Amino acid sequence: MKKGIIIKNLTKIFLINNNSKIVAVDNVNLEVEPGEFVTLLGPSGCGKTTLLRMVAGFETLTDGEIYIGEENVASLTPDKRDTAMVFQNYALFPHMNVYDNIAYGLKIQKVSKPEIKRRVQKILDLMKMNDFSNRVPSQMSGGQQQRVSLARALVMEPGVLLFDEPLSNLDAKLRIHMREEIRKIQKEVGITSLYVTHDQSEAMGLSDKIVIMKDGVIQQIGSPREVYQKPENAFVAAFIGKANTISGTVLAKDGKTYTIDIDGKPHVISSKKEYEVGREVEMIIRPESIIVGKEGYHTEVVKSIFMGENHEYEVRWKGQVLQISEPNPYSKRTYEVGEEMSIDFDETALHMI
Amino acid sequence: MASKKAHKDRNMRDLRIGSNIAIMRKVLLDPILFGTILLVLAIVTMFIVFPIANILKESFIYKGAISLHHYTEIFRLSYNKEIILNTFKLGITVSILSTIIGFGFAYASAYVKVKYKKLMNAIAILPIISPPFVISLSAILLFGRVGLISKGLFGIQNANIYGFRGLVLVQVLTFFPVAFLVMVGLLQQIDPSVEEAARDLGASRWKVFTTITVPLMAPGIANAGLLVFIQSVADFGNPMVIGGNFTTMAVQIYMQGIGSLDMSGATALAILLLLVSVSAFIVQKFYLGKKSYITVTGKVSRQRELIEEKNIVQPLSFLILLTSSFVGLMYILIPIGAFVKIWGVNNTFTLDHFKYVISIGIKPIVDTTSLALIATPITGILSMVIAFLLIRRKFIGKAYLDFTTMLSIAIPGTVVGLGYVLTYNKAPLILTGTGTILIIAFVMRSMPVGIRSGMASLQQIDPSIEEAASVLGASSKKVFTSITLPMIKPAFFSGLVYAFSRSMTLVSTIIFLVSAKYSLLTVTTMSQIDQGRIGVASVYSTILIVIVGSIILLMKFALSKMGVSADEIEL
């Protein structure tokens, strides 16, 4: 039975040497719908793993509430919670073979032998790991071990599946492969998933919803598209992809549509937020949303690198450096360092923060 | 990593094409290296292999002819059969009990938030700095005929601590720290997330303990049990002091060899004892060593969340405090016993025992300390040189050196003692009765452990660092003294501390070798106990513990001045 997660005003404070303390998770509110795939994303030390471990029951709560389905789990030990976890270092039982590893939780639940066999077999089929059932962990590669770890969690048919940076110990190619596999299986089984990572492309590739954290505080919750295109603040913008921050002044306001003056030229931008006329605002523009060669602003090229699928420039403009990424460089002219380049901003991509 | 692999590949290639000739040429080109190898091989042959070979040879000779007489004699006499049975019975009992207590200590130390961790570690070090029979001595003070608990507390007349039960008590208290230290290291290496995974899959704490922790530790538990078994069967001091009519093989070898002057009669028993402890060691080293699961789980990913539940912490803390205070009491009693007139009969304060010790001479104190101080640096340097050769150099005879020095860890002290007496009391080399043979015994008894810890720390140093030095023009001697030795300094100095304590407290081997010219503290103490002078024995033991303790502190202090932190020096 897939279940939702509701986290209310959750706080975790670690005491260090009695006098100093660290606020690892700071008044966090979060809702995960049943069947949803939600990723906690942030730099190391942002509290994402602590949050996950509190949901699993490995860390006690300093304050707040956690509901899994209808149940308040704050006082339950990990074994009493309807969760299963996939660990960063797989955490397989080294003294058991693949079959026994996967069957472990079912045996604890005293599921009948034939039923265990049937369910383990089903998972092995799903993971295409039938040939491995007699292997022990030391005879398998990291990727294979992580699949067993996922199978061991899935076989429990938990209300919530938790992932603690499961791909970070794998090499780059395998990571992308496993990422797709996790996404596929999660869609197939339809299980509620909470996933921790510090890799933004992993978060983008997997999630229905991304939660971006910094210093224990949630910065933004949104779909991959939202957090990329409409970042709440400069931290989110910079953490998800590359971003330029430029400033301008509000000239006029018509409902949710604003006219912004950027270096003497008006731009029409829509925003959900309220800004007064005459106020100075900051805007985010992604490197690929700066149009090269269109008459708008004059800049000087300070860096020019051919990357294959795109051409990356850094240009000096108004005392700041802008990053530009021009896609499909095949059919376009190349600017060298020192050359003058005229650019303009794609108005639909300008986002006020 | 890459360089290590390259190094290994090159070694493989060397072995393939160069074979022995290339190795020999390399060694011959370096006279210092060549000389050192010869010297080391000679030492090991003369003082480890040759004495054992002599026992073996002697055991098959009866009245000048080759015969199985000594062996058939063992199995003919029911008395001898009983001794063999006794040894196994004791070894197995002590091994099981020590492993259980040691596991409790180790689990508490690694998994539970108990308060007494420092106390536990201190208790674990005590057996190393004290002579092996100290607990026996205090057991007599506590449970003997006039014991503090037996007579004082319960008013039992003529309580008998001597025998199997007393021996089990003292050996368990002496050897459980060994099991504790082995297992606490292994428990700390278990990745906490493996247990968290089980917990997450619905297992209770108890279920995690029985289905994950204990099975993962199974090889380690067996390992600890075998180590204690080896120590128990090889133990000479305790059975000698408190065994009473319960004789073990180690004691019988001495009784027959020295007591009844029947050296060749003792040889067969010595060979049997050797077989028992060496085969236990081989099982431990080569079978269990390879079976470890813990290495599979890889690096510990995060610190373990210690168990804080009161219903686990409190009873465990209580048991640990109880056991630790009991062991502590055993040691505190010794200095107290030194100041009591006649223990249990006339408990008034006295300095008589000290006066007596001074009147009969402080010769044992001076002799023991000076001989141990001579043996210590020799042991230290020899251990590191051998460790270096075994890890970093290839030469003919390397496997032999590796095997003999490792196996000598498992050779019981009494067997070595018998071997030395058999080998070095006749021409061409008469060493019995000299200080030299005592120093040799000290060195050979503490060297194997020093070699192993040296090897362990050398293995962690990338060989390319030493190669860099020799590329820059350093000779092999210069590489060793200017690069290798400084890097293994902590292992070297803990080796020194160990060598000194071990030499000071050694009984089994040297009891065969002492003479009128040199008297040693441990042997003197044992004969005082034997004569019933418990007070005097307590004085000697106290002095011994004080000397060892203060030299260790002094070394640690000197080393901290030299830039080696006290934490790096492990005991």
Side-chain angles (χ1 to χ4, degrees):
Chain A
M1 233 340 258
K2 56 188 174 186
K3 291 179 181 170
I5 309 171
I6 297 171
I7 293 168
K8 284 185 186 162
N9 306 325
L10 189 64
T11 297
K12 175 73 187 181
I13 297 171
F14 287 109
L15 290 174
I16 296 166
N17 303 331
N18 300 324
N19 34 30
S20 70
K21 57 183 187 179
I22 292 177
V23 184
V25 173
D26 194 357
N27 196 24
V28 159
N29 288 284
L30 177 66
E31 209 164 311
V32 180
E33 303 287 336
E36 202 175 22
F37 197 114
V38 173
T39 299
L40 303 174
L41 176 67
S44 57
C46 73
K48 56 190 190 303
T49 299
T50 307
L51 180 56
L52 187 82
R53 289 172 62 81
M54 282 198 278
V55 175
F58 295 125
E59 304 282 356
T60 54
L61 322 184
T62 308
D63 200 14
E65 289 163 51
I66 299 176
Y67 291 88
I68 294 176
E70 303 287 299
E71 194 178 22
N72 184 346
V73 297
S75 58
L76 297 181
T77 50
D79 50 320
K80 300 281 185 288
R81 298 189 186 192
D82 191 11
T83 59
M85 187 148 154
V86 179
F87 291 81
Q88 178 174 359
N89 52 350
Y90 330 128
L92 296 182
F93 309 128
H95 56 303
M96 299 179 192
N97 64 19
V98 168
Y99 183 93
D100 289 332
N101 260 284
I102 298 175
Y104 183 85
L106 298 174
K107 281 181 191 159
I108 297 277
Q109 281 188 353
K110 301 212 161 63
V111 175
S112 72
K113 266 227 171 102
E115 175 68 5
I116 291 179
K117 200 166 177 198
R118 193 187 63 76
R119 282 169 69 176
V120 173
Q121 201 54 52
K122 201 178 114 195
I123 290 290
L124 285 171
D125 287 342
L126 179 75
M127 304 291 293
K128 300 188 180 63
M129 294 206 75
N130 278 307
D131 300 341
F132 289 88
S133 69
N134 284 323
R135 295 238 192 131
V136 290
S138 58
Q139 297 168 336
M140 291 189 292
S141 70
Q144 289 164 344
Q145 290 193 43
Q146 195 53 290
R147 286 151 71 120
V148 177
S149 178
L150 180 58
R152 184 177 66 178
L154 280 173
V155 80
M156 303 304 293
E157 295 167 12
V160 173
L161 191 54
L162 306 172
F163 294 89
D164 182 13
E165 309 208 23
L167 306 183
S168 61
N169 284 5
L170 304 178
D171 62 57
K173 264 207 175 124
L174 196 57
R175 206 178 304 161
I176 291 168
H177 175 75
M178 281 296 291
R179 185 167 94 198
E180 277 155 15
E181 196 154 17
I182 288 176
R183 183 62 177 160
K184 199 184 98 210
I185 287 166
Q186 193 266 340
K187 282 276 168 256
E188 236 173 281
V189 186
I191 199 165
T192 314
S193 303
L194 190 57
Y195 188 103
V196 162
T197 183
H198 61 263
D199 180 334
Q200 53 116 349
S201 61
E202 221 170 277
M204 301 286 277
L206 281 169
S207 321
D208 297 318
K209 205 153 89 184
I210 297 177
V211 179
I212 294 157
M213 291 180 72
K214 183 196 168 202
D215 299 335
V217 180
I218 291 183
Q219 305 293 312
Q220 186 171 2
I221 303 175
S223 68
R225 182 181 284 268
E226 276 168 349
V227 294
Y228 188 80
Q229 294 181 340
K230 308 277 179 207
E232 286 279 331
N233 54 39
F235 172 80
V236 174
F239 196 79
I240 302 243
K242 290 177 181 167
N244 300 295
T245 311
I246 55 176
S247 56
T249 318
V250 181
L251 284 179
K253 174 177 186 285
D254 177 16
K256 294 287 176 195
T257 309
Y258 296 83
T259 308
I260 310 288
D261 169 60
I262 301 173
D263 197 27
K265 291 192 175 63
H267 291 266
V268 178
I269 305 170
S270 62
S271 172
K272 282 181 194 162
K273 290 189 195 163
E274 286 291 327
Y275 300 95
E276 298 153 32
V277 173
R279 199 191 129 171
E280 183 146 318
V281 289
E282 297 219 301
M283 287 151 288
I284 298 289
I285 182 121
R286 299 287 178 186
E288 66 275 15
S289 303
I290 296 177
I291 307 155
V292 175
K294 189 179 167 194
E295 202 52 48
Y297 303 95
H298 293 284
T299 67
E300 186 201 345
V301 177
V302 293
K303 197 167 163 187
S304 168
I305 303 168
F306 176 72
M307 296 292 289
E309 58 193 19
N310 55 9
H311 198 112
E312 287 181 3
Y313 295 103
E314 275 180 25
V315 298
R316 199 184 310 281
W317 172 69
K318 259 180 61 184
Q320 74 177 108
V321 171
L322 297 178
Q323 295 180 316
I324 300 173
S325 170
E326 190 177 39
N328 192 17
Y330 228 100
S331 55
K332 311 221 171 92
R333 115 157 230 226
T334 301
Y335 294 80
E336 299 301 333
V337 174
E339 269 189 89
E340 195 175 280
M341 181 197 273
S342 46
I343 58 160
D344 202 358
F345 302 117
D346 179 352
E347 281 180 2
T348 54
L350 275 171
H351 170 68
M352 291 196 278
I353 55 173
Chain B
M1 278 306 284
S3 79
K4 244 180 202 163
K5 193 177 176 320
H7 185 81
K8 205 175 154 195
D9 287 347
R10 212 182 50 223
N11 280 350
M12 293 293 291
R13 203 186 53 217
D14 270 1
L15 279 177
R16 271 199 308 274
I17 50 167
S19 75
N20 286 344
I21 302 157
I23 296 170
M24 206 137 91
R25 190 183 304 135
K26 232 172 144 182
V27 169
L28 280 171
L29 281 174
D30 193 336
I32 294 170
L33 181 64
F34 183 62
T36 312
I37 291 169
L38 277 189
L39 181 71
V40 163
L41 287 176
I43 290 173
V44 166
T45 309
M46 277 178 71
F47 300 110
I48 295 177
V49 179
F50 202 44
I52 302 296
N54 245 337
I55 298 178
L56 191 63
K57 188 188 85 188
E58 204 73 27
S59 72
F60 287 108
I61 291 175
Y62 181 63
K63 290 182 176 167
I66 294 175
S67 148
L68 282 174
H69 173 81
H70 298 309
Y71 290 94
T72 51
E73 199 70 358
I74 291 178
F75 294 102
R76 196 176 58 81
L77 298 171
S78 63
Y79 178 67
N80 275 335
K81 268 189 268 181
E82 196 188 312
I83 286 171
I84 295 169
L85 270 182
N86 280 353
T87 309
F88 275 96
K89 187 172 143 196
L90 179 70
I92 291 165
T93 314
V94 169
S95 154
I96 291 170
L97 292 176
S98 303
T99 309
I100 293 171
I101 297 175
F103 188 87
F105 266 59
Y107 189 80
S109 176
Y111 278 67
V112 186
K113 204 164 185 173
V114 290
K115 286 179 192 150
Y116 316 110
K117 288 193 180 163
K118 282 210 167 137
L119 181 69
M120 285 160 67
N121 289 328
I123 293 292
I125 292 173
L126 281 175
I128 298 170
I129 65 164
S130 67
F133 50 77
V134 159
I135 299 224
S136 291
L137 181 54
S138 41
I140 295 172
L141 295 176
L142 277 181
F143 303 107
R145 224 167 301 139
V146 290
L148 208 58
I149 291 179
S150 50
K151 181 158 175 272
L153 214 58
F154 294 108
I156 303 164
Q157 298 295 326
N158 293 324
N160 191 5
I161 182 72
Y162 301 93
F164 177 67
R165 274 179 302 170
L167 201 44
V168 167
L169 175 76
V170 298
Q171 280 203 341
V172 167
L173 291 179
T174 311
F175 296 134
F176 89 85
V178 175
F180 162 54
L181 288 179
V182 168
M183 286 187 285
V184 78
L186 293 174
L187 278 172
Q188 278 160 350
Q189 283 171 36
I190 294 180
D191 185 342
S193 65
V194 172
E195 280 146 344
E196 282 177 356
R199 206 74 174 111
D200 196 57
L201 293 167
S204 63
R205 276 218 196 285
W206 175 246
K207 202 83 189 166
V208 172
F209 181 77
T210 54
T211 61
I212 306 294
T213 316
V214 171
L216 277 181
M217 276 297 287
I221 292 170
N223 199 340
L226 275 174
L227 278 177
V228 172
F229 176 81
I230 292 167
Q231 301 228 21
S232 165
V233 298
D235 185 20
F236 173 78
N238 288 313
M240 189 71 184
V241 169
I242 214 169
N245 291 329
F246 186 90
T247 308
T248 65
M249 287 161 83
V251 170
Q252 181 61 16
I253 292 167
Y254 171 73
M255 293 299 214
Q256 202 169 344
I258 301 293
S260 323
L261 292 172
D262 175 17
M263 291 279 185
S264 40
T267 53
L269 208 54
I271 292 296
L272 274 187
L273 179 60
L274 186 67
L275 277 181
V276 170
S277 68
V278 166
S279 41
F281 181 73
I282 287 173
V283 171
Q284 183 253 330
K285 196 84 200 164
F286 296 100
Y287 178 67
L288 291 174
K290 289 204 170 80
K291 232 175 127 36
S292 169
Y293 294 122
I294 285 144
T295 50
V296 179
T297 66
K299 278 199 187 124
V300 173
S301 57
R302 55 162 58 236
Q303 250 190 327
R304 185 180 302 284
E305 306 280 335
L306 295 180
I307 297 171
E308 290 182 21
E309 278 109 314
K310 281 205 172 88
N311 57 351
I312 301 174
V313 175
Q314 282 175 350
L316 211 53
S317 297
F318 177 72
L319 282 176
I320 284 165
L321 191 64
L322 199 72
T323 318
S324 302
S325 353
F326 189 59
V327 176
L329 177 71
M330 300 293 251
Y331 282 91
I332 291 167
L333 274 181
I334 303 294
I336 295 175
F339 291 105
V340 169
K341 220 163 212 152
I342 305 168
W343 186 268
V345 178
N346 181 0
N347 287 330
T348 47
F349 177 83
T350 179
L351 286 174
D352 287 355
H353 305 312
F354 278 91
K355 284 181 194 147
Y356 175 80
V357 165
I358 292 165
S359 75
I360 62 166
I362 53 168
K363 190 169 156 31
I365 302 168
V366 178
D367 282 355
T368 315
T369 315
S370 47
L371 289 174
L373 281 176
I374 297 170
T376 301
I378 299 175
T379 312
I381 292 167
L382 201 57
S383 310
M384 288 305 132
V385 168
I386 293 179
F388 174 78
L389 290 176
L390 287 177
I391 295 285
R392 291 287 198 260
R393 293 287 176 264
K394 278 190 294 293
F395 51 94
I396 296 158
K398 181 175 161 172
Y400 166 78
L401 185 63
D402 192 15
F403 188 70
T404 44
T405 53
M406 185 168 63
L407 225 53
S408 69
I409 293 177
I411 303 176
T414 32
V415 176
V416 177
L418 183 70
Y420 281 10
V421 173
L422 274 177
T423 313
Y424 295 110
N425 67 348
K426 50 184 183 239
L429 201 53
I430 303 174
L431 290 174
T432 39
T434 64
T436 313
I437 192 75
L438 291 172
I439 292 170
I440 290 169
F442 287 168
V443 172
M444 300 318 283
R445 292 310 286 165
S446 33
M447 195 180 68
V449 172
I451 294 175
R452 293 299 133 180
S453 78
M455 286 170 76
S457 69
L458 270 174
Q459 261 155 353
Q460 287 164 9
I461 298 168
D462 193 324
S464 59
I465 298 173
E466 286 157 327
E467 287 169 350
S470 63
V471 164
L472 292 169
S475 67
S476 62
K477 184 177 148 237
K478 190 78 191 160
V479 170
F480 183 73
T481 53
S482 67
I483 306 292
T484 316
L485 210 50
M487 283 196 293
I488 53 173
K489 212 160 62 172
F492 175 67
F493 287 118
S494 11
L496 287 187
V497 173
Y498 175 81
F500 181 75
S501 338
R502 179 107 169 109
S503 301
M504 289 293 289
T505 56
L506 193 62
V507 185
S508 52
T509 308
I510 51 145
I511 202 160
F512 287 83
L513 306 169
V514 285
S515 60
K517 220 162 132 200
Y518 292 94
S519 50
L520 296 180
L521 265 175
T522 46
V523 179
T524 313
T525 313
M526 280 186 65
S527 74
Q528 294 295 340
I529 300 175
D530 205 34
Q531 292 163 35
R533 292 209 195 91
I534 301 295
V536 177
S538 301
V539 172
Y540 276 125
S541 300
T542 309
I543 292 171
L544 184 52
I545 294 173
V546 167
I547 292 174
V548 174
S550 45
I551 296 272
I552 288 176
L553 287 180
L554 207 69
M555 275 193 190
K556 285 202 174 186
F557 177 73
L559 293 175
S560 70
K561 292 277 163 208
M562 287 163 57
V564 181
S565 84
D567 300 335
E568 284 179 280
I569 309 159
E570 282 169 30
L571 270 173

